[in-house]
Amino acid sequence: MPITNYLEKNAKDYANDVALVELNPEVRETMRITWKDFDLTQPEPNLPYRREISWHVFNEKANRCAHYLLERGVRKGDKVGILLMNCLEWLPIYFGILKTGALAVPLNFRYASDEIEYCMNLADISVLFFGPEFIGRMEAISDRVIAHRLLIFVGEGNAPTFSENYFMSVMNYSSQNLNIPITDDDFGAIYFSSGTTGFPKAILHKHRALVHSAQVEQKHHGQTKDDVFLCIPPLYHTGAKMHWFGSLISGSKAVLLRGTKPDVILKAVSDEKCTIVWLLVPWAQDILDSLDRGDLSIDNFCLSQWRLMHIGAQPVPKKLIEDWKKYFPHHDYDTNYGLSESIGPGCVHLGIGNDHKIGAIGKAGYGWQVKIVDENRKEVQKGDVGELAVFGPGVMVEYYKNPKATEEVLDKEGWLYTGDMAMEDKDGFIYLVDRKKDVIITGGENIYPVQIEDFLHRMEAVKDVAVIGLADKRLGEISCAIIEVKEGYKCSEEDVNNFCLELPKYKRPKKIIFAPVLRNPTGKIEKPKLRKMYRTENPFDAMLK
């Protein structure tokens, strides 16, 4: 059955129970005024930063969105994009899209204008919902993308001239469930990923994969009606949404938190009585550092109900979890491994109760199979390093409109080859040991060295440049630019930093080294040698300690 059936069931069984809460304690002035039964042209002053909707209202809003889209010509198989920050509107719009039989296509809110345009073209997006934070980026490309497309502004006040105002229209549409037939074999969503070149690939999934991701999450973490999930990562990411799917299955409350400061996280857990929290390594490390410094005291918060802390999206240092257990000895811990190509987290997971194996990513998840293979895709012996491959209902259909890239990672039997190098210990637990790809994972976000290298090559004084990842206690890795300066030119760290102000902050190199860039006889940068020269500790090695 489609994932939308769970929403309709919850709307019937738990109509008045809280489904979603939005907390925006850090940026109150940017709160959107929505789902209100008053004139949206006259917003209420001093709107509180906390909003909530029940399961019944959630389903109604999704239905109104679906009818609105149908009226505007959206049909089964169309692609509808979502470019929003985490907010109370995100998931009702997502489910409204699915209810029409169209494919939901979430976009990374970090994308620059050219990346948004590229993804819209690649995924054949015909309708795009976008929030107020993206007006400037959309305006820059509106002349090129508006032809044969509908742009829908999701925000208070007047919509930009190139778009339609969602809030001024959607309340006029029916809140009744639709009867559009959707099966497990229908296409449900497209998510974006990227290879080492940095160009996003469109990952096509069926409804079967969406449902399986929900079942995996609930099986792994045992969500019940009494649980409350704190969701901090962006909903465009499969990691955040597919973890929330466990709340969807159990009909339990979830809290969407805008803010990652330690005191904000702990206050949200305390005030909303959260029982499950998914963190990235930097946020967990920040909490520990604040507790170590005495900036925060756990005695000032109500945290006794918090039962599970789990981490994903990047390598997790063993010491971090050991330190966490000192402050939170009663917490269950789990880590999840996955890719957007495998519908997000859970194809491999450590499993609650396996604290003695912290450092491993775990074993095959619910409904999944895994193997480790050599360069000929033959299984290796336990203890040997090879490429991790996964198989299950959550494997993507294809890279949309990219058969060559699809063939590189999917075999005829449906095994997905991840590009991650791993080993299996004698007890069957899998450890990551390296990556085939040069992607740098910093704070759960992917940085693609080629993009930064190409950018830095624009500097007149730069002869050659290589970007590698260096271990970092808080972020897992940081980007390091090794720059070879042209003879007769001068180039300082300040010069490079000023030049990089054009880049998004997270893409700017955090460390700069002026040195020769090593290349092999064929002209390829010898990054393994550079990493050995400059990396003090491989974060994958740290997991094994």
Side-chain angles (χ1 to χ4, degrees), residues 110 442 445 447 452 474-475 479 497 500-510:
R110 294 180 182 270
T442 180
E445 290 287 342
I447 292 178
I452 304 174
R474 178 173 179 269
L475 296 173
S479 57
N497 288 332
C500 288
L501 290 176
E502 294 181 35
L503 289 171
K505 188 174 181 181
Y506 80 105
K507 289 186 178 181
R508 298 170 196 167
K510 299 299 185 289

Side-chain angles (χ1 to χ4, degrees), residues 351-494:
I352 294 172
N354 288 318
D355 292 8
H356 63 295
K357 290 291 185 178
I358 288 176
I361 58 171
K363 297 183 177 183
Y366 173 79
W368 286 93
Q369 299 177 48
V370 301
K371 62 182 179 180
I372 299 175
V373 300
D374 61 22
E375 61 275 10
N376 297 315
R377 294 187 172 175
K378 302 295 184 183
E379 288 194 59
V380 301
Q381 298 294 318
K382 281 188 178 182
D384 290 344
V385 173
E387 182 178 2
L388 178 63
V390 300
F391 176 87
V395 169
M396 69 175 183
V397 177
E398 64 180 5
Y399 287 124
Y400 185 62
K401 297 196 299 189
N402 195 339
K404 183 176 184 297
T406 302
E407 289 177 6
E408 291 174 355
V409 300
L410 272 182
D411 67 17
K412 294 179 180 180
E413 286 73 40
W415 282 90
L416 172 67
Y417 294 86
T418 67
D420 287 318
M421 306 304 286
M423 61 164 286
E424 182 181 357
D425 71 11
K426 61 183 178 60
D427 300 317
F429 285 82
I430 296 170
Y431 294 77
L432 293 180
V433 297
D434 204 345
R435 290 192 296 269
K436 277 188 173 180
K437 304 171 184 177
D438 285 331
V439 178
I440 298 167
I441 303 177
T442 180
E445 290 287 342
N446 286 358
I447 292 178
Y448 304 98
V450 170
Q451 288 184 330
I452 304 174
E453 290 162 1
D454 289 345
F455 180 84
L456 289 173
H457 270 295
R458 290 161 45 189
M459 289 189 72
E460 188 177 5
V462 172
K463 176 183 178 182
D464 206 355
V465 59
V467 175
I468 61 173
L470 296 182
D472 182 80
K473 177 183 178 183
R474 178 173 179 269
L475 296 173
E477 287 183 296
I478 58 171
S479 57
C480 170
I482 301 162
I483 296 175
E484 189 171 344
V485 180
K486 293 177 183 175
E487 188 175 350
Y489 281 77
K490 292 183 178 180
C491 185
S492 67
E493 185 172 337
E494 183 179 5

Side-chain angles (χ1 to χ4, degrees), residues 264-404:
V264 168
I265 293 174
L266 294 186
K267 187 176 189 306
V269 174
S270 180
D271 291 352
E272 300 294 333
K273 302 298 185 286
C274 297
T275 62
I276 302 174
V277 182
W278 181 51
L279 298 173
L280 295 178
V281 167
W283 308 337
Q285 188 63 58
D286 287 347
I287 291 173
L288 290 176
D289 290 345
S290 294
L291 293 172
D292 287 344
R293 292 191 303 267
D295 297 342
L296 290 176
S297 171
I298 57 177
D299 295 333
N300 295 331
F301 302 95
C302 179
L303 305 176
S304 60
Q305 79 288 341
W306 186 358
R307 69 174 180 86
L308 172 65
M309 188 278 278
H310 57 121
I311 293 182
Q314 65 187 113
V316 184
K318 184 178 180 180
K319 187 176 186 301
L320 184 149
I321 305 305
E322 292 172 345
D323 292 344
W324 188 271
K325 286 285 190 174
K326 294 175 184 176
Y327 282 106
F328 304 101
H330 66 286
H331 278 189
D332 285 328
Y333 168 72
D334 193 13
T335 188
N336 300 272
Y337 168 89
L339 314 88
S340 294
E341 290 88 341
S342 67
I343 205 61
C347 58
V348 181
H349 86 122
L350 181 65
I352 294 172
N354 288 318
D355 292 8
H356 63 295
K357 290 291 185 178
I358 288 176
I361 58 171
K363 297 183 177 183
Y366 173 79
W368 286 93
Q369 299 177 48
V370 301
K371 62 182 179 180
I372 299 175
V373 300
D374 61 22
E375 61 275 10
N376 297 315
R377 294 187 172 175
K378 302 295 184 183
E379 288 194 59
V380 301
Q381 298 294 318
K382 281 188 178 182
D384 290 344
V385 173
E387 182 178 2
L388 178 63
V390 300
F391 176 87
V395 169
M396 69 175 183
V397 177
E398 64 180 5
Y399 287 124
Y400 185 62
K401 297 196 299 189
N402 195 339
K404 183 176 184 297

Side-chain angles (χ1 to χ4, degrees), residues 65-339:
C65 177
H67 286 290
Y68 167 81
L69 290 172
L70 291 173
E71 176 70 21
R72 276 149 181 76
V74 172
R75 293 295 179 265
K76 191 171 184 178
D78 288 344
K79 287 84 177 178
V80 180
I82 304 174
L83 182 59
L84 298 171
M85 303 295 288
N86 279 15
C87 59
L88 208 59
E89 295 72 48
W90 209 111
L91 287 165
I93 288 174
Y94 180 85
F95 275 79
I97 295 168
L98 295 182
K99 280 171 176 270
T100 68
L103 285 73
V105 189
L107 298 181
N108 187 331
F109 59 55
R110 294 180 182 270
Y111 282 159
S113 295
D114 58 341
E115 292 171 308
I116 295 170
E117 182 180 6
Y118 176 86
C119 290
M120 290 182 71
N121 291 332
L122 177 60
D124 296 323
I125 290 174
S126 58
V127 178
L128 177 69
F129 291 91
F130 70 96
E133 300 88 350
F134 309 99
I135 291 176
R137 278 176 263 181
M138 292 306 303
E139 187 173 25
I141 59 174
S142 60
D143 289 345
R144 298 193 296 276
V145 303
I146 201 169
H148 311 298
R149 290 188 176 96
L150 174 62
L151 303 180
I152 303 173
F153 175 66
V154 184
E156 62 186 74
N158 296 325
T161 56
F162 55 83
S163 65
E164 182 172 313
N165 192 311
Y166 181 59
F167 294 148
M168 301 301 290
S169 304
V170 69
M171 295 304 293
N172 297 323
Y173 287 86
S174 171
S175 63
Q176 297 302 306
N177 288 328
L178 289 77
N179 295 311
I180 295 174
I182 302 171
T183 71
D184 286 347
D185 283 324
D186 286 329
F187 298 137
I190 289 177
Y191 289 88
F192 283 96
S193 185
S194 298
T196 55
T197 62
F199 293 104
K201 298 185 184 72
I203 301 165
L204 178 62
H205 280 291
K206 292 184 177 181
H207 275 273
R208 174 181 290 104
L210 300 180
V211 173
H212 184 64
S213 69
Q215 293 169 341
V216 167
E217 174 60 21
Q218 203 277 329
K219 289 289 185 181
H220 287 175
H221 297 141
Q223 287 91 336
T224 70
K225 187 70 174 65
D226 295 329
D227 276 310
V228 180
F229 173 51
L230 181 63
C231 181
I232 309 172
L235 286 167
Y236 73 77
H237 198 287
T238 54
K241 192 181 314 83
M242 280 49 188
H243 283 312
W244 171 77
F245 276 168
S247 301
L248 177 68
I249 283 189
S250 59
S252 55
K253 181 175 111 176
V255 179
L256 307 176
L257 175 63
R258 293 278 294 272
T260 62
K261 293 180 180 178
D263 60 324
V264 168
I265 293 174
L266 294 186
K267 187 176 189 306
V269 174
S270 180
D271 291 352
E272 300 294 333
K273 302 298 185 286
C274 297
T275 62
I276 302 174
V277 182
W278 181 51
L279 298 173
L280 295 178
V281 167
W283 308 337
Q285 188 63 58
D286 287 347
I287 291 173
L288 290 176
D289 290 345
S290 294
L291 293 172
D292 287 344
R293 292 191 303 267
D295 297 342
L296 290 176
S297 171
I298 57 177
D299 295 333
N300 295 331
F301 302 95
C302 179
L303 305 176
S304 60
Q305 79 288 341
W306 186 358
R307 69 174 180 86
L308 172 65
M309 188 278 278
H310 57 121
I311 293 182
Q314 65 187 113
V316 184
K318 184 178 180 180
K319 187 176 186 301
L320 184 149
I321 305 305
E322 292 172 345
D323 292 344
W324 188 271
K325 286 285 190 174
K326 294 175 184 176
Y327 282 106
F328 304 101
H330 66 286
H331 278 189
D332 285 328
Y333 168 72
D334 193 13
T335 188
N336 300 272
Y337 168 89
L339 314 88

